Tab-separated table of all heavy atoms in Angstrom:
chain	number	residue	atom	x	y	z
A	321	HIS	N	-3.701	1.666	26.780
A	321	HIS	CA	-4.188	2.756	27.637
A	321	HIS	C	-5.675	2.631	27.930
A	321	HIS	O	-6.114	2.854	29.056
A	321	HIS	CB	-3.887	4.110	26.991
A	321	HIS	CG	-2.450	4.496	27.098
A	321	HIS	ND1	-1.881	5.516	26.378
A	321	HIS	CD2	-1.448	4.015	27.886
A	321	HIS	CE1	-0.613	5.630	26.693
A	321	HIS	NE2	-0.314	4.726	27.598
A	322	ALA	N	-6.445	2.293	26.881
A	322	ALA	CA	-7.900	2.210	27.063
A	322	ALA	C	-8.247	1.162	28.123
A	322	ALA	O	-9.203	1.308	28.876
A	322	ALA	CB	-8.576	1.876	25.741
A	323	TYR	N	-7.454	0.113	28.184
A	323	TYR	CA	-7.722	-0.924	29.170
A	323	TYR	C	-6.892	-0.716	30.455
A	323	TYR	O	-6.780	-1.613	31.303
A	323	TYR	CB	-7.384	-2.325	28.608
A	323	TYR	CG	-8.462	-2.818	27.670
A	323	TYR	CD1	-8.420	-2.520	26.302
A	323	TYR	CD2	-9.534	-3.580	28.140
A	323	TYR	CE1	-9.413	-2.971	25.445
A	323	TYR	CE2	-10.524	-4.030	27.288
A	323	TYR	CZ	-10.448	-3.719	25.939
A	323	TYR	OH	-11.440	-4.160	25.093
A	324	GLY	N	-6.241	0.449	30.528
A	324	GLY	CA	-5.500	0.798	31.741
A	324	GLY	C	-4.227	-0.014	31.954
A	324	GLY	O	-3.818	-0.277	33.077
A	325	VAL	N	-3.604	-0.468	30.847
A	325	VAL	CA	-2.352	-1.252	31.001
A	325	VAL	C	-1.169	-0.351	30.681
A	325	VAL	O	-1.181	0.401	29.702
A	325	VAL	CB	-2.359	-2.429	29.973
A	325	VAL	CG1	-1.061	-3.220	30.063
A	325	VAL	CG2	-3.566	-3.320	30.202
A	326	ASP	N	-0.124	-0.407	31.519
A	326	ASP	CA	1.100	0.327	31.195
A	326	ASP	C	2.068	-0.619	30.512
A	326	ASP	O	2.391	-1.667	31.059
A	326	ASP	CB	1.740	0.860	32.507
A	326	ASP	CG	1.268	2.266	32.785
A	326	ASP	OD1	0.938	2.973	31.815
A	326	ASP	OD2	1.248	2.651	33.970
A	327	LEU	N	2.502	-0.238	29.321
A	327	LEU	CA	3.397	-1.148	28.596
A	327	LEU	C	4.821	-1.064	29.137
A	327	LEU	O	5.353	0.032	29.332
A	327	LEU	CB	3.398	-0.777	27.102
A	327	LEU	CG	2.069	-1.031	26.375
A	327	LEU	CD1	2.085	-0.375	25.020
A	327	LEU	CD2	1.824	-2.530	26.234
A	328	THR	N	5.443	-2.214	29.363
A	328	THR	CA	6.830	-2.231	29.827
A	328	THR	C	7.767	-2.087	28.639
A	328	THR	O	7.342	-2.249	27.487
A	328	THR	CB	7.150	-3.557	30.544
A	328	THR	OG1	6.998	-4.590	29.550
A	328	THR	CG2	6.226	-3.807	31.704
A	329	THR	N	9.043	-1.811	28.909
A	329	THR	CA	9.996	-1.676	27.831
A	329	THR	C	10.075	-2.951	26.987
A	329	THR	O	10.138	-2.911	25.762
A	329	THR	CB	11.396	-1.370	28.371
A	329	THR	OG1	11.247	-0.390	29.384
A	329	THR	CG2	12.331	-0.875	27.304
A	330	SER	N	10.033	-4.093	27.666
A	330	SER	CA	10.159	-5.331	26.875
A	330	SER	C	8.911	-5.551	26.038
A	330	SER	O	8.987	-6.071	24.932
A	330	SER	CB	10.470	-6.527	27.791
A	330	SER	OG	9.287	-7.035	28.306
A	331	GLN	N	7.750	-5.101	26.553
A	331	GLN	CA	6.552	-5.226	25.715
A	331	GLN	C	6.677	-4.324	24.501
A	331	GLN	O	6.264	-4.697	23.404
A	331	GLN	CB	5.312	-4.840	26.523
A	331	GLN	CG	4.749	-5.985	27.380
A	331	GLN	CD	3.612	-5.518	28.228
A	331	GLN	OE1	3.679	-4.461	28.846
A	331	GLN	NE2	2.545	-6.300	28.262
A	332	LEU	N	7.237	-3.132	24.699
A	332	LEU	CA	7.378	-2.210	23.577
A	332	LEU	C	8.324	-2.786	22.519
A	332	LEU	O	8.087	-2.666	21.319
A	332	LEU	CB	7.907	-0.843	24.066
A	332	LEU	CG	6.906	-0.005	24.872
A	332	LEU	CD1	7.552	1.228	25.455
A	332	LEU	CD2	5.739	0.389	23.963
A	333	LEU	N	9.404	-3.408	22.985
A	333	LEU	CA	10.339	-4.018	22.032
A	333	LEU	C	9.640	-5.145	21.274
A	333	LEU	O	9.844	-5.337	20.074
A	333	LEU	CB	11.578	-4.565	22.761
A	333	LEU	CG	12.564	-3.473	23.198
A	333	LEU	CD1	13.714	-4.087	23.985
A	333	LEU	CD2	13.090	-2.712	22.001
A	334	THR	N	8.802	-5.891	21.995
A	334	THR	CA	8.045	-6.960	21.346
A	334	THR	C	7.161	-6.377	20.267
A	334	THR	O	7.025	-6.949	19.167
A	334	THR	CB	7.159	-7.714	22.369
A	334	THR	OG1	7.931	-8.030	23.492
A	334	THR	CG2	6.549	-8.972	21.765
A	335	VAL	N	6.557	-5.201	20.537
A	335	VAL	CA	5.699	-4.580	19.540
A	335	VAL	C	6.497	-4.260	18.286
A	335	VAL	O	6.067	-4.530	17.161
A	335	VAL	CB	5.021	-3.297	20.099
A	335	VAL	CG1	4.190	-2.631	19.006
A	335	VAL	CG2	4.148	-3.604	21.293
A	336	VAL	N	7.701	-3.691	18.482
A	336	VAL	CA	8.514	-3.325	17.299
A	336	VAL	C	8.820	-4.600	16.487
A	336	VAL	O	8.614	-4.608	15.274
A	336	VAL	CB	9.867	-2.669	17.754
A	336	VAL	CG1	10.750	-2.443	16.537
A	336	VAL	CG2	9.584	-1.362	18.477
A	337	LEU	N	9.221	-5.634	17.171
A	337	LEU	CA	9.569	-6.874	16.474
A	337	LEU	C	8.356	-7.501	15.795
A	337	LEU	O	8.381	-7.819	14.618
A	337	LEU	CB	10.188	-7.868	17.507
A	337	LEU	CG	10.915	-9.003	16.865
A	337	LEU	CD1	12.216	-8.503	16.237
A	337	LEU	CD2	11.227	-10.071	17.920
A	338	MET	N	7.279	-7.635	16.558
A	338	MET	CA	6.093	-8.323	16.035
A	338	MET	C	5.460	-7.525	14.897
A	338	MET	O	5.026	-8.085	13.911
A	338	MET	CB	5.041	-8.515	17.167
A	338	MET	CG	5.273	-9.687	18.029
A	338	MET	SD	5.397	-11.214	17.109
A	338	MET	CE	3.718	-11.351	16.456
A	339	ALA	N	5.409	-6.217	15.065
A	339	ALA	CA	4.750	-5.425	14.024
A	339	ALA	C	5.605	-5.426	12.754
A	339	ALA	O	5.064	-5.348	11.645
A	339	ALA	CB	4.486	-4.011	14.499
A	340	THR	N	6.912	-5.498	12.883
A	340	THR	CA	7.754	-5.572	11.697
A	340	THR	C	7.466	-6.894	10.964
A	340	THR	O	7.263	-6.940	9.760
A	340	THR	CB	9.275	-5.523	12.063
A	340	THR	OG1	9.474	-4.344	12.859
A	340	THR	CG2	10.130	-5.428	10.808
A	341	ILE	N	7.418	-7.985	11.773
A	341	ILE	CA	7.100	-9.287	11.158
A	341	ILE	C	5.673	-9.262	10.571
A	341	ILE	O	5.442	-9.751	9.499
A	341	ILE	CB	7.232	-10.410	12.216
A	341	ILE	CG1	8.672	-10.510	12.660
A	341	ILE	CG2	6.766	-11.757	11.638
A	341	ILE	CD1	8.886	-11.483	13.813
A	342	ALA	N	4.763	-8.647	11.333
A	342	ALA	CA	3.371	-8.599	10.863
A	342	ALA	C	3.289	-7.860	9.550
A	342	ALA	O	2.519	-8.259	8.661
A	342	ALA	CB	2.496	-7.905	11.920
A	343	SER	N	4.069	-6.798	9.388
A	343	SER	CA	3.954	-6.044	8.138
A	343	SER	C	4.541	-6.862	6.986
A	343	SER	O	4.164	-6.686	5.834
A	343	SER	CB	4.621	-4.669	8.253
A	343	SER	OG	6.005	-4.790	8.316
A	344	ILE	N	5.481	-7.756	7.273
A	344	ILE	CA	5.985	-8.631	6.216
A	344	ILE	C	4.956	-9.679	5.857
A	344	ILE	O	4.703	-9.976	4.700
A	344	ILE	CB	7.293	-9.331	6.678
A	344	ILE	CG1	8.371	-8.283	6.921
A	344	ILE	CG2	7.761	-10.333	5.640
A	344	ILE	CD1	9.659	-8.835	7.458
A	345	GLY	N	4.314	-10.192	6.900
A	345	GLY	CA	3.381	-11.305	6.690
A	345	GLY	C	2.036	-10.866	6.144
A	345	GLY	O	1.319	-11.653	5.560
A	346	SER	N	1.676	-9.566	6.307
A	346	SER	CA	0.339	-9.216	5.865
A	346	SER	C	0.312	-8.848	4.385
A	346	SER	O	1.238	-8.260	3.867
A	346	SER	CB	-0.241	-8.086	6.696
A	346	SER	OG	0.617	-6.995	6.716
A	347	ALA	N	-0.781	-9.225	3.752
A	347	ALA	CA	-0.931	-9.002	2.322
A	347	ALA	C	-1.312	-7.526	2.103
A	347	ALA	O	-1.870	-6.890	3.000
A	347	ALA	CB	-2.015	-9.899	1.784
A	348	GLY	N	-0.989	-7.031	0.911
A	348	GLY	CA	-1.345	-5.651	0.618
A	348	GLY	C	-2.762	-5.509	0.159
A	348	GLY	O	-3.052	-5.088	-0.967
A	349	VAL	N	-3.687	-5.880	1.023
A	349	VAL	CA	-5.120	-5.799	0.667
A	349	VAL	C	-5.833	-5.003	1.750
A	349	VAL	O	-5.309	-4.870	2.852
A	349	VAL	CB	-5.769	-7.195	0.504
A	349	VAL	CG1	-5.174	-7.909	-0.658
A	349	VAL	CG2	-5.591	-8.030	1.784
A	350	PRO	N	-7.047	-4.495	1.479
A	350	PRO	CA	-7.733	-3.694	2.485
A	350	PRO	C	-7.849	-4.405	3.835
A	350	PRO	O	-8.132	-5.605	3.893
A	350	PRO	CB	-9.109	-3.430	1.898
A	350	PRO	CG	-8.897	-3.550	0.442
A	350	PRO	CD	-7.821	-4.555	0.258
A	351	SER	N	-7.586	-3.685	4.914
A	351	SER	CA	-7.768	-4.141	6.276
A	351	SER	C	-6.823	-5.254	6.726
A	351	SER	O	-6.942	-5.747	7.821
A	351	SER	CB	-9.170	-4.656	6.529
A	351	SER	OG	-10.055	-3.573	6.423
A	352	ALA	N	-5.844	-5.632	5.900
A	352	ALA	CA	-4.933	-6.685	6.276
A	352	ALA	C	-4.206	-6.312	7.580
A	352	ALA	O	-3.947	-7.159	8.440
A	352	ALA	CB	-3.906	-6.934	5.184
A	353	GLY	N	-3.896	-5.027	7.726
A	353	GLY	CA	-3.181	-4.563	8.898
A	353	GLY	C	-3.917	-4.839	10.193
A	353	GLY	O	-3.315	-5.134	11.220
A	354	LEU	N	-5.257	-4.741	10.140
A	354	LEU	CA	-6.057	-4.982	11.353
A	354	LEU	C	-5.995	-6.441	11.776
A	354	LEU	O	-5.904	-6.761	12.943
A	354	LEU	CB	-7.536	-4.644	11.089
A	354	LEU	CG	-8.007	-3.249	11.456
A	354	LEU	CD1	-9.511	-3.253	11.498
A	354	LEU	CD2	-7.446	-2.755	12.778
A	355	VAL	N	-6.044	-7.320	10.783
A	355	VAL	CA	-5.976	-8.767	11.067
A	355	VAL	C	-4.650	-9.095	11.748
A	355	VAL	O	-4.601	-9.799	12.742
A	355	VAL	CB	-6.175	-9.590	9.778
A	355	VAL	CG1	-6.051	-11.071	10.076
A	355	VAL	CG2	-7.505	-9.288	9.143
A	356	MET	N	-3.581	-8.509	11.188
A	356	MET	CA	-2.261	-8.794	11.748
A	356	MET	C	-2.057	-8.139	13.100
A	356	MET	O	-1.217	-8.578	13.883
A	356	MET	CB	-1.160	-8.364	10.792
A	356	MET	CG	-1.148	-9.116	9.482
A	356	MET	SD	-1.065	-10.916	9.694
A	356	MET	CE	0.642	-11.165	10.086
A	357	LEU	N	-2.820	-7.074	13.366
A	357	LEU	CA	-2.719	-6.411	14.656
A	357	LEU	C	-3.055	-7.392	15.783
A	357	LEU	O	-2.482	-7.317	16.889
A	357	LEU	CB	-3.667	-5.201	14.681
A	357	LEU	CG	-3.763	-4.410	16.004
A	357	LEU	CD1	-2.398	-3.828	16.395
A	357	LEU	CD2	-4.779	-3.298	15.874
A	358	GLN	N	-3.932	-8.325	15.497
A	358	GLN	CA	-4.283	-9.352	16.481
A	358	GLN	C	-3.038	-10.058	17.022
A	358	GLN	O	-2.891	-10.268	18.203
A	358	GLN	CB	-5.123	-10.456	15.844
A	358	GLN	CG	-6.494	-10.049	15.533
A	358	GLN	CD	-7.255	-11.201	14.929
A	358	GLN	OE1	-8.431	-11.139	14.818
A	358	GLN	NE2	-6.577	-12.255	14.530
A	359	GLY	N	-2.161	-10.445	16.078
A	359	GLY	CA	-0.950	-11.165	16.458
A	359	GLY	C	-0.110	-10.316	17.411
A	359	GLY	O	0.434	-10.827	18.398
A	360	VAL	N	0.010	-9.023	17.109
A	360	VAL	CA	0.813	-8.137	17.935
A	360	VAL	C	0.187	-8.066	19.311
A	360	VAL	O	0.884	-8.190	20.333
A	360	VAL	CB	0.874	-6.728	17.299
A	360	VAL	CG1	1.753	-5.809	18.124
A	360	VAL	CG2	1.387	-6.808	15.851
A	361	LEU	N	-1.130	-7.860	19.391
A	361	LEU	CA	-1.806	-7.732	20.684
A	361	LEU	C	-1.657	-8.987	21.501
A	361	LEU	O	-1.360	-8.950	22.713
A	361	LEU	CB	-3.298	-7.404	20.479
A	361	LEU	CG	-3.599	-6.028	19.848
A	361	LEU	CD1	-5.080	-5.855	19.643
A	361	LEU	CD2	-3.072	-4.908	20.746
A	362	LEU	N	-1.856	-10.135	20.875
A	362	LEU	CA	-1.739	-11.414	21.575
A	362	LEU	C	-0.378	-11.576	22.182
A	362	LEU	O	-0.195	-11.983	23.324
A	362	LEU	CB	-2.028	-12.563	20.635
A	362	LEU	CG	-3.488	-12.799	20.268
A	362	LEU	CD1	-3.633	-13.898	19.218
A	362	LEU	CD2	-4.293	-13.174	21.517
A	363	GLN	N	0.645	-11.211	21.364
A	363	GLN	CA	2.017	-11.396	21.796
A	363	GLN	C	2.342	-10.550	23.034
A	363	GLN	O	3.118	-10.986	23.875
A	363	GLN	CB	2.924	-11.016	20.625
A	363	GLN	CG	4.318	-11.573	20.729
A	363	GLN	CD	4.330	-13.089	20.526
A	363	GLN	OE1	3.476	-13.615	19.814
A	363	GLN	NE2	5.245	-13.776	21.177
A	364	VAL	N	1.773	-9.371	23.129
A	364	VAL	CA	2.046	-8.548	24.310
A	364	VAL	C	0.992	-8.720	25.395
A	364	VAL	O	0.985	-8.005	26.402
A	364	VAL	CB	2.215	-7.042	23.988
A	364	VAL	CG1	3.534	-6.761	23.321
A	364	VAL	CG2	1.086	-6.523	23.159
A	365	GLY	N	0.044	-9.631	25.165
A	365	GLY	CA	-0.939	-9.949	26.179
A	365	GLY	C	-2.020	-8.891	26.354
A	365	GLY	O	-2.514	-8.681	27.446
A	366	LEU	N	-2.400	-8.242	25.262
A	366	LEU	CA	-3.492	-7.278	25.338
A	366	LEU	C	-4.771	-7.887	24.746
A	366	LEU	O	-4.702	-8.755	23.899
A	366	LEU	CB	-3.144	-6.014	24.566
A	366	LEU	CG	-2.087	-5.107	25.215
A	366	LEU	CD1	-1.620	-4.049	24.248
A	366	LEU	CD2	-2.664	-4.451	26.475
A	367	PRO	N	-5.957	-7.409	25.208
A	367	PRO	CA	-7.192	-7.994	24.690
A	367	PRO	C	-7.428	-7.685	23.214
A	367	PRO	O	-7.423	-6.533	22.819
A	367	PRO	CB	-8.274	-7.353	25.547
A	367	PRO	CG	-7.639	-6.167	26.183
A	367	PRO	CD	-6.185	-6.414	26.228
A	368	VAL	N	-7.608	-8.758	22.435
A	368	VAL	CA	-7.833	-8.604	20.994
A	368	VAL	C	-9.142	-7.848	20.724
A	368	VAL	O	-9.259	-7.158	19.709
A	368	VAL	CB	-7.885	-10.008	20.368
A	368	VAL	CG1	-8.257	-9.952	18.908
A	368	VAL	CG2	-6.524	-10.685	20.512
A	369	GLU	N	-10.081	-7.945	21.671
A	369	GLU	CA	-11.382	-7.259	21.494
A	369	GLU	C	-11.210	-5.753	21.327
A	369	GLU	O	-12.079	-5.092	20.780
A	369	GLU	CB	-12.308	-7.510	22.677
A	369	GLU	CG	-12.768	-8.943	22.842
A	369	GLU	CD	-11.670	-9.844	23.431
A	369	GLU	OE1	-10.645	-9.302	23.865
A	369	GLU	OE2	-11.857	-11.064	23.382
A	370	GLY	N	-10.081	-5.250	21.806
A	370	GLY	CA	-9.808	-3.798	21.682
A	370	GLY	C	-9.913	-3.313	20.242
A	370	GLY	O	-10.179	-2.146	19.985
A	371	ILE	N	-9.657	-4.243	19.296
A	371	ILE	CA	-9.715	-3.872	17.882
A	371	ILE	C	-11.093	-3.323	17.536
A	371	ILE	O	-11.233	-2.467	16.685
A	371	ILE	CB	-9.305	-5.056	17.004
A	371	ILE	CG1	-7.855	-5.422	17.283
A	371	ILE	CG2	-9.503	-4.750	15.533
A	371	ILE	CD1	-7.325	-6.585	16.457
A	372	ALA	N	-12.104	-3.840	18.220
A	372	ALA	CA	-13.485	-3.403	17.912
A	372	ALA	C	-13.649	-1.907	18.099
A	372	ALA	O	-14.453	-1.294	17.400
A	372	ALA	CB	-14.459	-4.170	18.806
A	373	ILE	N	-12.881	-1.328	19.025
A	373	ILE	CA	-13.031	0.114	19.273
A	373	ILE	C	-12.605	0.923	18.065
A	373	ILE	O	-13.201	1.923	17.706
A	373	ILE	CB	-12.174	0.549	20.487
A	373	ILE	CG1	-12.306	-0.415	21.662
A	373	ILE	CG2	-12.546	1.973	20.905
A	373	ILE	CD1	-11.419	-0.089	22.842
A	374	ILE	N	-11.527	0.448	17.412
A	374	ILE	CA	-11.005	1.274	16.313
A	374	ILE	C	-11.478	0.852	14.924
A	374	ILE	O	-11.211	1.487	13.932
A	374	ILE	CB	-9.449	1.271	16.326
A	374	ILE	CG1	-8.928	-0.165	16.328
A	374	ILE	CG2	-8.901	2.028	17.519
A	374	ILE	CD1	-7.437	-0.258	16.169
A	375	LEU	N	-12.273	-0.225	14.950
A	375	LEU	CA	-12.731	-0.793	13.675
A	375	LEU	C	-13.476	0.240	12.815
A	375	LEU	O	-13.255	0.331	11.608
A	375	LEU	CB	-13.672	-1.962	14.012
A	375	LEU	CG	-13.874	-3.050	12.977
A	375	LEU	CD1	-12.536	-3.664	12.604
A	375	LEU	CD2	-14.795	-4.116	13.541
A	376	GLY	N	-14.357	1.021	13.489
A	376	GLY	CA	-15.232	1.914	12.762
A	376	GLY	C	-14.550	2.905	11.850
A	376	GLY	O	-15.053	3.251	10.777
A	377	ILE	N	-13.386	3.407	12.288
A	377	ILE	CA	-12.754	4.438	11.453
A	377	ILE	C	-11.557	3.876	10.702
A	377	ILE	O	-10.791	4.616	10.074
A	377	ILE	CB	-12.277	5.644	12.283
A	377	ILE	CG1	-11.473	5.153	13.491
A	377	ILE	CG2	-13.414	6.515	12.702
A	377	ILE	CD1	-10.628	6.243	14.072
A	378	ASP	N	-11.406	2.570	10.735
A	378	ASP	CA	-10.197	2.029	10.114
A	378	ASP	C	-10.163	2.231	8.613
A	378	ASP	O	-9.099	2.419	8.026
A	378	ASP	CB	-10.011	0.545	10.421
A	378	ASP	CG	-8.633	0.085	10.036
A	378	ASP	OD1	-7.690	0.588	10.661
A	378	ASP	OD2	-8.501	-0.731	9.116
A	379	ARG	N	-11.324	2.282	8.003
A	379	ARG	CA	-11.340	2.430	6.531
A	379	ARG	C	-10.629	3.694	6.103
A	379	ARG	O	-9.821	3.695	5.137
A	379	ARG	CB	-12.794	2.400	6.035
A	379	ARG	CG	-12.966	2.498	4.547
A	379	ARG	CD	-12.357	1.315	3.821
A	379	ARG	NE	-11.939	1.674	2.472
A	379	ARG	CZ	-12.653	1.420	1.387
A	379	ARG	NH1	-13.770	0.773	1.460
A	379	ARG	NH2	-12.202	1.779	0.201
Side-chain angles (χ1 to χ4, degrees):
H321 283 166
Y323 283 88
V325 178
D326 267 332
L327 292 168
T328 62
T329 316
S330 85
Q331 276 175 316
L332 288 173
L333 286 177
T334 312
V335 177
V336 174
L337 195 71
M338 277 305 294
T340 308
I341 295 173
S343 71
I344 296 176
S346 54
V349 295
S351 294
L354 266 197
V355 177
M356 295 306 283
L357 177 60
Q358 287 180 168
V360 183
L361 294 176
L362 284 175
Q363 200 68 32
V364 286
L366 287 168
V368 174
E369 292 77 10
I371 296 181
I373 315 176
I374 53 173
L375 203 58
I377 49 162
D378 193 64
R379 181 64 208 261

